[in-house]
Amino acid sequence: MRVNWNNIKLGFLGMVIIGLYGFADYRSDQKTIDDISIKFLGDNNLYLTEASVNKLLIQNYGTIKNRAKEQLVLNTIEEVLRSNDMVKNAQVYLTVNGELISKIVQRKPIGRVEGVSKFYLDDLGERMPLSKHHSARVPIITGKITGKTLEDAYVILNYINEDDFLRKNVIGIHIEEEGKYQLKFRLENFVVNLGGVENLDEKFKNFMAFYAKAAKDKSLEKYAVVSLEFSNQVVCTKI
């Protein structure tokens, strides 16, 4: 019987390669974490500090630096970071140089609720706790706070944030009751009765036309209330 030396050589070569890969993986797993890098992505990085993240990791894992790579489960670390109330998303990975890198996206508040409970409303419409590191300059939400009225406030805030003028000038939303929302402006004495959240495009289009004319006439200071509650019109109450 003839021996097929080519097959034997290929089999032996395959075993050598598998052994080398296994050895490389073993050596890689035995390497330790040489450094930790925490990177905050985006421009909304005011509510959580690097020290807070390090503290969170230490509380859950102890000291990470100089630990073997095989002792760390990256998916679990990501879950721990995402569990922080200020974190929107987190990605963790290891470099070939033994550096543990955490990329974190912080949550973005768009409104601040001032009531029995104080908290932010974030850009997903969810409750977000206040931060001890920074106070966001966002419209203040007051009045009758319920699940439904917060949903409506979120709709209003999203609309406001899409318009440069409104984003810079609206400083508050007061909830009189469900379907009755009032806006407060930074530089004006009057309040704007918005009514409900239906037909916002039409309501704000009418308001901007009124505002432009009143500003041109220098009569803005004469009004106490500007109502957008009625279809296709602006009803003003003078001081």
Side-chain angles (χ1 to χ4, degrees), residues 1-38:
M1 184 178 69
R2 295 181 61 185
V3 177
N4 192 329
W5 291 105
N6 288 331
N7 288 341
I8 293 175
K9 290 177 181 179
L10 287 174
F12 179 75
L13 181 61
M15 292 176 63
V16 170
I17 292 174
I18 291 172
L20 289 174
Y21 272 115
F23 180 73
D25 287 342
Y26 174 79
R27 289 290 300 274
S28 177
D29 289 341
Q30 295 306 305
K31 288 184 178 180
T32 59
I33 306 300
D34 295 328
D35 197 12
I36 300 173
S37 177
I38 298 170

Side-chain angles (χ1 to χ4, degrees), residues 64-119:
I64 292 180
K65 195 172 181 180
N66 296 324
R67 289 181 63 179
K69 292 166 60 176
E70 67 173 358
Q71 297 178 4
L72 300 177
V73 181
L74 300 185
N75 289 341
T76 303
I77 297 176
E78 289 178 347
E79 291 175 4
V80 167
L81 293 177
R82 293 189 189 113
S83 69
N84 186 280
D85 289 330
M86 298 299 173
V87 174
K88 185 175 185 178
N89 198 10
Q91 180 185 10
V92 179
Y93 61 92
L94 283 166
T95 68
V96 293
N97 297 321
E99 184 179 16
L100 181 72
I101 297 179
S102 301
K103 292 185 176 181
I104 296 173
V105 179
Q106 295 189 26
R107 295 172 69 183
K108 180 181 179 180
I110 60 174
R112 174 170 175 155
V113 175
E114 290 288 334
V116 177
S117 298
K118 302 180 187 296
F119 55 90

Side-chain angles (χ1 to χ4, degrees), residues 120-138:
Y120 289 125
L121 196 65
D122 75 2
D123 59 344
L124 296 177
E126 298 176 353
R127 297 187 181 209
M128 171 182 171
L130 303 183
S131 169
K132 62 182 179 181
H133 301 294
H134 180 76
S135 180
R137 296 184 63 181
V138 292

Side-chain angles (χ1 to χ4, degrees), residues 147-179:
K148 178 62 170 95
T149 59
L150 278 183
E151 288 178 9
D152 287 350
Y154 173 67
V155 173
I156 296 169
L157 288 168
N158 270 337
Y159 191 97
I160 288 171
N161 285 330
E162 291 297 319
D163 183 274
D164 188 60
F165 173 82
L166 295 175
R167 184 175 64 253
K168 291 178 179 178
N169 288 281
V170 175
I171 60 172
I173 300 175
H174 181 70
I175 304 170
E176 296 182 311
E177 60 183 73
E178 186 178 322

